[in-house]
Amino acid sequence: MERTALISPAEIQQQLAHCDAVAQLTAQWPDRPLAFVDTYGCQQNEADSERIRGYLSRMGFAFTHSEEEARIIVINTCAIREHAEQRVFGNVGALVHLKRRRPDTLICLCGCMVQQPQAARKIRESYRHVDLVFGPHALWKFPEMVRALLTQRGRTFSVDDEAGSIAEGIPVVRQDKIRAWVSVMYGCNNFCTYCIVPYVRGRERSRSPEDILAEVRQLAEEGYKDITLLGQNVNSYGKDLAEPLDFADLLERVNAIPGDFLIRFMTSHPKDATQKLFEAMARCEKVAPVLHLPFQAGNDRILKIMNRRHTRAEYLEKIRALRALIPDITLTSDIIVGFPGETTEEFEDTLRVLEEVRFDALFTFIFSPRPGTPAAAMDDPMPRSEKLANFERLTALQDQISEEKHAAYVGKRVRCLIDGLSDDARYDLTARTPGNRLVRVVGDVSALGQFRDVKITGANKWSLFGELG
Ligand code: 5AD
Ligand code: SF4
């Protein structure tokens, strides 16, 4: 099987023609055509949903937050943990009543969950009200599939284990006017033994630097202030390109684009986060001083059976090298508690890494067996109650560190991006520090979308509080 399918501009043109044909149909409907798009999971899924919205908009749909009003419902699913799947199945199950009342509503499921054969089978057999199911590889063909469903009856499943694709030129409707995601690569080759991603998103493939730079240039011209370069493993960027260009080189090129905006990126793998990358981060003034560097576990035996291909000492050394260049770097990480066979003593090595590094924030997870991954078949003798107790020790320690680190901001003036309206009535706005800490701010809403000095007046373990000025 070919590893990457490059979808040609002519093929995307064909899909746009399908959109236009659907638009002719929707224009005749008595009611305004509305679509509901719901997204689970990571930013890559958010980025995919922006493309789905782009296609839908070209088909004549406007968007609603109500499933009841929608004529087409798209649920973009996640497979990373069982909990994410249970939520999707629960919500999709509840749609059976809506479909009974309004059989014309098209129900579509896409994303990582449905790319797994057992999940696709379950939907085929037990969720018969779902009309269209397609995996990440088939997203570019969404218009063709919608058109077929609107003109013929039946169900469509497009979840074959096809080659991962790269498709340029799909229209995008972005959710936000201030922050934007730009995928730089897709897929993952690492096969960490707990992780489903390489099975559902295919092998690593990089977009061309020209396409990425053109997209960022346009975002900068449109006034976007915070641009995140996305990939499951951005440090592998470029390995599959003909020209010799790596992620650090790409960062330098993005940094050279004129405009007042911040550049972020995620996710990085410690095994190939290089000194060259750290130096590029330090040199590029637009690159935010923040690194999300998952370490997953602090014990070398566990790291080995996770197939992480780095040791605890190597990880800590990278952090030291990075801090030597950027002392005030904000550091975040992902951690899995309760990997099969991890003892409580081994888990305590994870706590020691927290104490040593003092991360600004963590994303912590209890191991969730994913069918088809090696870890799902490993012996897992620890009772759930013990895993939960360890998990609580971990979050308690991190809460204390976050609180202490946040408290150190109080009294300081920090240049923040004012990025939203606060849902807490005591504050008007939300803002982000360069390191991406949330700040709730008192101030005039005219500051929305601007970089402004914020005086930090208070803090707790989750966020900071402040005022403009
Ligand atoms: N169980 C628990 N957490 C997982 N992650 C990935 N797979 C699993 C799993 N099977 C976590 C990892 C990864 C993050 C995105 O999700 O920490 O970095
Ligand atoms: Fe999953 Fe590991 Fe790839 Fe991250 S690097 S997506 S955890 S396999």
Side-chain angles (χ1 to χ4, degrees):
M1 181 177 74
E2 232 188 282
R3 296 191 128 195
T4 303
L6 284 174
I7 311 303
S8 70
E11 285 171 296
I12 296 300
Q13 281 308 318
Q14 264 175 19
Q15 294 303 318
L16 296 179
H18 286 298
C19 287
D20 296 342
V22 172
Q24 287 188 355
L25 292 174
T26 56
Q28 329 246 309
W29 291 354
D31 298 323
R32 185 158 175 242
L34 291 176
F36 171 85
V37 181
D38 199 7
T39 311
Y40 292 77
C42 65
Q43 274 114 347
Q44 185 57 57
N45 258 17
E46 295 289 347
D48 285 349
S49 288
E50 293 183 339
R51 291 195 154 66
I52 290 168
R53 283 196 194 87
Y55 271 147
L56 285 167
S57 166
R58 176 108 179 208
M59 292 177 207
F61 287 92
F63 299 97
T64 169
H65 292 293
S66 148
E67 293 170 346
E68 289 294 326
E69 287 184 348
R71 182 68 193 272
I72 180 164
I73 295 174
V74 183
I75 303 183
N76 192 358
T77 65
C78 171
I80 198 92
R81 282 169 293 276
E82 197 184 354
H83 178 66
E85 297 197 346
Q86 283 165 346
R87 279 174 56 217
V88 170
F89 278 120
N91 289 350
V92 175
L95 291 176
V96 73
H97 308 291
L98 185 149
K99 183 77 175 177
R100 223 171 270 148
R101 262 183 286 119
R102 303 184 48 189
D104 282 347
T105 309
L106 282 188
I107 301 181
C108 314
L109 275 187
C110 62
C112 293
M113 184 184 104
V114 304
Q115 189 70 44
Q116 305 169 97
Q118 81 285 1
R121 205 176 317 120
K122 183 166 166 183
I123 298 158
R124 198 186 286 275
E125 289 165 7
S126 311
Y127 293 76
R128 305 197 60 82
H129 56 295
V130 175
D131 301 284
L132 169 61
V133 177
F134 60 97
H137 304 322
L139 188 153
W140 67 275
K141 296 188 268 198
F142 178 57
E144 175 182 341
M145 298 185 281
V146 171
R147 184 179 182 191
L149 279 173
L150 287 175
T151 49
Q152 308 147 27
R153 295 248 150 230
R155 306 172 80 196
T156 305
F157 279 70
S158 186
V159 289
D160 294 343
D161 191 14
E162 301 169 58
S165 56
I166 294 194
E168 297 295 344
I170 297 179
V172 183
V173 170
R174 297 193 192 265
Q175 283 297 80
D176 197 298
K177 298 269 169 272
I178 301 168
R179 301 156 150 257
W181 323 118
V182 174
S183 298
V184 301
M185 60 182 300
Y186 307 98
C188 182
N189 290 356
N190 286 330
F191 289 95
C192 302
T193 52
Y194 49 81
C195 186
I196 195 71
V197 167
Y199 303 89
V200 292
R201 286 210 175 255
R203 295 296 68 72
E204 287 171 358
R205 49 215 190 268
S206 306
R207 288 178 71 197
S208 83
E210 291 75 26
D211 288 323
I212 295 166
L213 295 172
E215 187 170 343
V216 175
R217 214 171 282 125
Q218 192 185 341
L219 290 168
E221 279 165 15
E222 288 172 15
Y224 279 88
K225 294 287 179 240
D226 188 313
I227 297 174
T228 303
L229 308 180
L230 284 183
Q232 254 75 39
N233 182 16
V234 288
N235 302 130
S236 290
Y237 177 79
K239 285 186 184 161
D240 56 331
L241 292 174
E243 63 183 299
L245 181 91
D246 63 15
F247 186 66
D249 301 324
L250 182 72
L251 267 188
E252 303 257 10
R253 290 209 201 170
V254 174
N255 187 66
I257 293 174
D260 186 19
F261 62 92
L262 277 175
I263 305 164
R264 305 182 189 282
F265 56 91
M266 66 189 306
T267 295
S268 301
H269 193 300
K271 81 175 161 47
D272 34 32
T274 57
Q275 183 70 17
K276 181 177 172 190
L277 172 74
F278 301 158
E279 284 168 11
M281 290 174 70
R283 204 165 34 236
C284 293
E285 74 288 353
K286 293 189 178 105
V287 173
V290 50
L291 186 67
H292 180 59
L293 197 63
F295 79 93
Q296 313 295 0
N299 178 272
D300 284 346
R301 187 185 76 86
I302 298 300
L303 285 171
K304 194 156 177 59
I305 35 180
M306 284 179 163
N307 192 31
R308 290 291 290 175
R309 286 174 282 172
H310 62 82
T311 62
R312 157 208 173 91
E314 283 161 353
Y315 183 87
L316 293 173
E317 183 46 44
K318 300 232 168 174
I319 300 288
R320 266 191 293 276
L322 177 59
R323 280 196 166 137
L325 287 168
I326 313 175
D328 62 346
I329 185 102
T330 295
L331 286 169
T332 60
S333 194
D334 291 346
I335 292 173
I336 297 177
V337 175
F339 185 82
E342 184 186 53
T343 63
T344 289
E345 265 137 50
E346 288 167 329
F347 158 76
E348 284 167 353
D349 286 338
T350 299
L351 297 181
R352 282 190 269 277
V353 173
L354 258 63
E355 279 161 352
E356 191 154 336
V357 176
R358 292 180 61 82
F359 294 96
D360 293 82
L362 284 182
F363 301 89
T364 50
F365 311 102
I366 293 185
F367 170 73
S368 167
R370 307 286 57 224
T373 61
M378 291 178 191
D379 225 19
D380 189 5
M382 186 184 276
R384 192 165 167 84
S385 55
E386 191 173 344
K387 291 190 181 188
L388 272 171
N390 287 344
F391 184 80
E392 271 159 29
R393 283 175 73 190
L394 179 76
T395 48
L397 176 58
Q398 183 56 39
D399 282 353
Q400 185 196 328
I401 295 171
S402 300
E403 199 165 351
E404 285 164 14
K405 292 196 99 170
H406 283 170
Y409 280 89
V410 176
K412 292 195 173 142
R413 218 173 263 285
V414 186
R415 188 168 182 257
C416 294
L417 174 61
I418 314 295
D419 70 342
L421 299 176
S422 173
D423 52 11
D424 176 334
R426 289 166 298 168
Y427 298 89
D428 306 296
L429 300 160
T430 61
R432 294 276 167 176
T433 66
N436 221 15
R437 304 286 82 216
L438 172 67
V439 195
R440 296 191 183 277
V441 182
V442 175
D444 196 88
V445 293
S446 62
L448 199 59
Q450 297 172 7
F451 289 103
R452 292 284 291 269
D453 277 351
V454 174
K455 183 166 180 255
I456 307 296
T457 53
N460 63 20
K461 63 187 173 204
W462 299 288
S463 59
L464 306 172
F465 305 93
E467 55 200 38
L468 286 184

